Amino acid sequence: MQIDIEVRKTTPYPDQKPGTSGLRKKTKVFLENPNYLENFVQSIFDCLPDRRGATLVLGGDGRYFNRPALQTIVKMAVANGFGTLLIGQGGLLSTPAASHLIRKNQALGGIVLSASHNPGGPEGDFGIKYNIDNGGPAPARYTEAFFRRSREIREYRIARMADVDLDRIGEQVYGETTVKVIDPVTDYAQLMAQLFDFDRMRRALTSGAVTICFDAMHAVTGPYAKRILEEELGAPPGSVINAVPLEDFGGGHPDPNLTYAKTLVEKMYGPEAPTLGAASDGDGDRNMILGRGFFVTPSDSLALLAANAHRVPGYRDGLRGVARSMPTSRAVDRVAEALGIPCYETPTGWKFFGNLLDAGKITLCGEESFGTGSDHVREKDGLWAVLFWLNIVVATGQSVATLVREHWRRFGRNYYSRHDYEAIDRATADAIMTHLHDRLAELPGNRLGKFRVVQADDFSYTDPVDGSVTTGQGIRILLEPEARLVFRLSGTGTEGATLRIYIERYQPDPARLDLDTQAALAELIELAETLSEVKKRTGRSGPTVVT
Ligand code: G16
């Protein structure tokens, strides 16, 4: 079939700068500014000189505007000469599933439409991110090129063709491009079956020895969790809740934490709590793990997975190394030390793990922001983390709480909390960071309360694989006895600025492992507030979110 290609004129926007993970904006920005989506997509394509005939993976988390945006992107990809488009049925693909498809099909890359855990809908957020041929988020050299291109773009290419049928699995040919609509779950489910002990997990779930509740939060993991947990592993129907992806996530906030995964949390703290509770976010890359009446912090989760990886078939041969983002607690560092493997500290953003994974320097990695993953894909992976936990629970016969308490007894506990001051004025946020910056030189050697400052700096990272340097990644203050304060501005918000304060304190005393986190950190929290002058400068009485 011959396809007409139109070259349409457009005007650049100054603000299409990708943040920590792609371009995230209010949905309205995409809807109300002509060609806002088209400009960014063409900017991406213009930076991919080898796109002709190549394979591109396309999908999204199903939020409002997902389908119309995909239709536009398909027509633009056809007009830009891609050879094959692999699209998840219904326009759905979780971020980790997209990463896997890119790798499996040797695609040039993929586009995932999502604003992650941010709410969707006309009043919510929308986003677009590009993943490269290793399946991982585009590193800075790409995103900077996209941004530069977006500021000078004058035209975009689009095919004159009818919408593709996103719901029918099969192939459709448009000019030189084959559009394949595929089941979004099958390949991913096969990968999970290779990594985990599905037989043993199935026996535990069908006999009722182990029970699970997975909250898909009306986001993309619903179909994945239904297929894997209920259909393949035999968890009773209803084990996956909020399983149907909805454009507005059922009015909810698809962020798997104690505040937003409310139904799940009530269940896990109630009398009928199952053995394992878990939730994932909008695009399926985040995870939250709960036991009966017990919350596992993402930092502890990473440490525990590393310490128990040998119990899981896919990791039985041991870990090559681990990595965590700088603000993530240092719990995993102790495990790495005990295992005699390297532990890397990277800036915030999954893209920084890509080189380490590709070079075989690490097997597991994770972040405090509810992200955990391994070398099986190049994204963090929510359902994978849940299956990892399930495998460990089944293999040890221990409850989540017992596993974590045993871990603390062995390694000590890193009490850890993040305080967010959301949607503050950008100038105020910048002033706080400048103020902290100005104090860096004077701090080392001085006392802060009962602590002594051993190091204070603005974190910068030299990638051990390609030597690239990333600076300005957050202020960190290392204290003695072992504690740490970190301050940085979020790169994923869509309103004003968000200041994140990360507070950590190591506690080796076996008699002090079960304290309330906020109480255990109270003195450090006060020090962080005083040092940054956050309350005075923002006029806020406290953080908007505490995790
Ligand atoms: C993204 C990134 C993560 C990062 C998180 C929070 O996650 O992929 O690496 O930790 O944002 O970033 P920030 O602190 O800058 O807001 P997601 O799940 O939102 O794509």
Side-chain angles (χ1 to χ4, degrees):
M1 193 203 314
Q2 186 64 30
I3 292 281
D4 283 345
I5 309 294
E6 264 185 76
V7 179
R8 295 189 187 156
K9 296 277 168 238
T10 190
T11 316
Y13 290 94
D15 65 344
Q16 297 196 313
K17 187 175 169 55
T20 310
S21 177
L23 181 70
R24 273 184 211 169
K25 297 282 176 192
K26 291 273 162 221
T27 313
K28 275 193 182 141
V29 174
F30 283 90
L31 297 179
E32 292 172 3
N33 294 300
N35 301 335
Y36 198 82
L37 175 75
E38 289 84 343
N39 277 17
F40 192 66
V41 173
Q42 188 64 56
S43 300
I44 295 175
F45 290 165
D46 286 348
C47 297
L48 306 174
D50 40 359
R51 62 183 182 273
R52 196 149 286 279
T55 299
L56 185 70
V57 171
L58 294 175
D61 65 10
R63 70 180 56 222
Y64 182 82
F65 194 47
N66 190 71
R67 278 174 172 260
L70 263 183
Q71 294 290 0
T72 302
I73 296 170
V74 168
K75 292 171 193 167
M76 291 183 66
V78 170
N80 277 274
F82 282 92
T84 305
L85 303 182
L86 287 177
I87 313 178
Q89 187 184 25
L92 296 180
L93 273 184
S94 78
T95 286
S99 181
H100 177 51
L101 284 171
I102 293 170
R103 296 167 66 74
K104 189 173 173 188
N105 295 283
Q106 280 115 39
L108 177 66
I111 289 179
V112 178
L113 301 176
S114 172
S116 186
H117 53 291
N118 297 8
E123 301 303 321
D125 292 349
F126 188 76
I128 168 167
K129 55 182 177 174
Y130 182 73
N131 282 30
I132 61 172
D133 59 356
N134 75 350
R141 64 179 189 283
Y142 281 82
T143 54
E144 281 159 15
F146 301 160
F147 180 46
R148 268 197 308 278
R149 182 68 191 146
S150 74
R151 285 156 56 122
E152 58 195 28
I153 191 162
R154 295 286 161 196
E155 55 185 41
Y156 68 91
R157 297 169 72 78
I158 189 157
R160 215 173 282 152
M161 56 186 258
D163 281 359
V164 298
D165 185 347
L166 290 175
D167 296 312
R168 189 169 54 87
I169 288 184
E171 290 187 16
Q172 301 155 57
V173 177
Y174 298 89
E176 303 289 300
T177 313
T178 305
V179 175
K180 294 187 187 171
V181 175
I182 57 170
D183 180 275
V185 180
T186 305
D187 296 87
Y188 178 83
Q190 282 166 0
L191 178 64
M192 293 302 112
Q194 287 162 21
L195 296 173
F196 301 109
D197 193 346
F198 269 27
D199 287 340
R200 203 161 171 189
M201 289 152 82
R202 192 177 299 115
R203 281 199 296 277
L205 286 170
T206 50
S207 68
V210 168
T211 49
I212 186 167
C213 178
F214 180 93
D215 188 348
M217 304 190 87
H218 287 302
V220 79
T221 45
Y224 293 85
K226 273 260 170 208
R227 173 91 60 87
I228 296 172
L229 293 172
E230 294 187 4
E231 290 170 29
E232 295 196 10
L233 294 177
S239 298
V240 180
I241 59 171
N242 300 320
V244 180
L246 297 173
E247 285 204 329
D248 67 346
F249 307 115
H253 197 136
D255 194 353
N257 60 32
L258 293 174
T259 311
Y260 296 123
K262 211 163 160 265
T263 331
L264 173 72
V265 172
E266 273 165 15
K267 213 178 163 88
M268 295 309 296
Y269 284 78
E272 307 281 292
T275 322
L276 179 64
S280 191
D281 70 331
D283 60 329
D285 56 2
R286 295 186 174 208
N287 75 89
M288 175 172 69
I289 301 293
L290 299 164
R292 291 192 174 114
F294 194 92
F295 165 67
V296 186
T297 71
S299 298
D300 278 346
S301 176
L302 173 64
L304 194 133
L305 296 191
N308 289 276
H310 59 282
R311 303 181 194 280
V312 173
Y315 305 91
R316 196 149 277 158
D317 294 340
L319 307 176
R320 290 175 165 170
V322 292
R324 60 164 173 83
S325 65
M326 182 273 280
T328 302
S329 104
R330 295 178 291 184
V332 73
D333 300 32
R334 293 184 183 274
V335 178
E337 205 185 324
L339 293 173
I341 56 171
C343 176
Y344 297 86
E345 184 176 42
T346 61
T348 295
W350 205 262
K351 57 188 174 221
F352 292 100
F353 295 133
N355 277 350
L356 298 172
L357 290 162
D358 284 350
K361 288 183 178 295
I362 59 169
T363 311
L364 287 192
C365 45
E367 296 183 283
E368 50 70 37
S369 55
F370 294 85
T372 333
S374 86
D375 58 359
H376 69 291
V377 288
R378 292 293 180 275
E379 285 277 7
K380 54 187 188 257
D381 189 343
L383 192 49
W384 165 90
V386 177
L387 292 168
F388 207 131
W389 267 92
L390 183 61
N391 201 150
I392 293 172
V393 166
V394 167
T396 57
Q398 287 182 331
S399 73
V400 170
T402 305
L403 282 164
V404 177
R405 290 202 172 100
E406 288 293 325
H407 186 91
W408 290 339
R409 260 193 286 279
R410 183 168 166 212
F411 295 98
R413 177 173 179 187
N414 289 66
Y415 281 98
Y416 183 81
S417 182
R418 187 177 97 187
H419 287 206
D420 291 338
Y421 290 75
E422 294 177 316
I424 55 179
D425 174 62
R426 165 78 31 205
T428 308
D430 288 340
I432 292 174
M433 292 308 286
T434 308
H435 162 74
L436 285 166
H437 219 268
D438 290 345
R439 298 206 52 191
L440 285 180
E442 87 201 38
L443 285 172
N446 281 345
R447 297 206 74 79
L448 280 182
K450 67 165 180 275
F451 297 89
R452 192 177 64 84
V453 180
V454 284
Q455 189 181 333
D457 60 13
D458 189 350
F459 181 63
S460 76
Y461 176 66
T462 304
D463 187 302
V465 180
D466 64 16
S468 60
V469 178
T470 311
T471 56
Q473 294 302 304
I475 303 278
R476 51 175 193 176
I477 299 172
L478 277 60
L479 304 165
E480 199 54 64
E482 195 178 324
R484 200 171 62 139
L485 301 175
V486 173
F487 304 83
R488 63 178 279 280
L489 299 181
S490 157
T492 55
T494 57
E495 218 176 317
T498 293
L499 174 70
R500 303 203 195 285
I501 305 181
Y502 312 79
I503 308 117
E504 177 182 4
R505 180 170 188 187
Y506 178 63
Q507 178 54 264
D509 181 353
R512 303 184 64 78
L513 296 178
D514 245 325
L515 307 177
D516 170 75
T517 299
Q518 298 306 311
L521 296 174
E523 187 186 349
L524 284 159
I525 292 169
E526 210 180 310
L527 284 174
E529 289 173 357
T530 311
L531 198 66
S532 60
E533 301 181 353
V534 59
K535 291 186 177 169
K536 190 175 93 191
R537 288 171 182 264
T538 60
R540 303 265 176 94
S541 56
T544 29
V545 177
V546 173
T547 45

